[in-house]
Amino acid sequence: MLVEIEDKIISTDVFSEAFVCDLSKCHGACCVEGDGGAPLKDKEVTLIQDHLQKIKPFMNKKGSEAIANDNFFYLDENDEPATQLVDKKECAFVYFDKKSNNAMCSIETAYKAGEIPFNKPISCHLYPIRTKDFNEFIAINYERWDICSAACKLGSSLKMPVFKFLKEPLIRAYGETFYQEMEAINDELKNK
């Protein structure tokens, strides 16, 4: 089932499915596995380019070498920019926390340290929601991936729907009013 808010077509899975990232179980596998880098908006390419020197100190050696050789992004099969990969595996901006061995984002870490004025790419911040821009609308869907089974389990135990877990990035991407409309739709769906 689908619902519509403004120019967004939203799968009702974002309301009905539960999700809370559980880094202690997955160790950030979504930043390491998969078949491509994180999708980037054109404005994110510019922001990263403009602030790359402040992000680099947070990167690991392999990531720094990857972007030195191949730039920090590439164009995917749809000619859309995506973050560069290290050895066709993890995102070039990943580093591994020494204590937990969790994959961490050097862009997000630079942002939290106050070094840059923007957070990680919105495609990462919104995960497990995936968006697709069409000419007249934006599709918003929940992406199921077996590496996130611990997140689904934790979300179920906490009774946390995907959209509530992703409140901050949804507001970042589409604004407070959009998120309030999502809450209203959630209430309607629960009452059906």
Side-chain angles (χ1 to χ4, degrees):
M1 195 165 114
L2 302 171
V3 295
E4 190 174 343
I5 301 174
E6 301 162 354
D7 63 342
K8 322 296 185 295
I9 307 294
I10 308 156
S11 165
T12 54
D13 288 350
V14 302
F15 302 98
S16 62
E17 298 295 322
F19 195 96
V20 173
C21 282
D22 192 348
L23 276 178
S24 68
K25 299 276 188 335
C26 73
H27 302 287
C30 61
C31 300
V32 177
E33 305 205 11
D35 56 5
L40 294 170
K41 303 283 187 190
D42 289 338
K43 67 180 180 180
E44 292 174 326
V45 171
T46 302
L47 283 168
I48 293 169
Q49 182 68 55
D50 291 348
H51 295 87
L52 194 55
Q53 294 310 312
K54 291 187 175 186
I55 297 167
K56 280 183 179 179
F58 298 95
M59 296 176 69
N60 69 24
K61 184 178 178 190
K62 287 166 81 176
S64 292
E65 288 171 355
I67 68 168
N69 295 331
D70 296 318
N71 204 347
F72 68 88
F73 74 98
Y74 66 95
L75 297 179
D76 67 13
E77 66 276 359
N78 299 316
D79 282 333
E80 299 288 334
T83 59
Q84 193 59 255
L85 299 176
V86 174
D87 299 326
K88 297 184 181 174
K89 293 184 182 171
E90 73 259 18
C91 172
F93 292 102
V94 162
Y95 70 93
F96 295 92
D97 179 73
K98 288 182 179 24
K99 276 200 315 198
S100 65
N101 201 34
N102 291 340
M104 307 297 285
C105 177
S106 57
I107 298 170
E108 180 179 34
T109 303
Y111 169 72
K112 287 182 175 179
E115 295 295 321
I116 60 173
F118 61 96
N119 204 337
K120 60 189 168 185
I122 195 64
S123 65
C124 301
H125 208 180
L126 281 170
Y127 194 79
I129 284 179
R130 286 291 188 213
T131 65
K132 176 98 173 119
D133 292 358
F134 293 93
N135 287 337
E136 296 170 16
F137 68 94
I138 298 169
I140 298 177
N141 293 294
Y142 167 62
E143 181 176 89
R144 288 172 182 78
W145 195 4
D146 60 342
I147 64 170
C148 293
S149 60
C152 297
K153 189 175 181 180
L154 180 58
S156 290
S157 71
L158 297 173
K159 295 181 176 28
M160 177 71 68
V162 173
F163 90 99
K164 284 194 178 188
F165 172 68
L166 296 174
K167 178 179 180 177
E168 179 187 338
L170 283 165
I171 291 171
R172 173 186 168 199
Y174 304 117
E176 184 78 43
T177 302
F178 173 80
Y179 187 79
Q180 289 169 353
E181 289 192 43
M182 288 189 85
E183 287 183 317
I185 286 170
N186 184 58
D187 291 342
E188 286 176 29
L189 291 170
K190 283 196 302 194
N191 291 329
K192 281 189 176 181

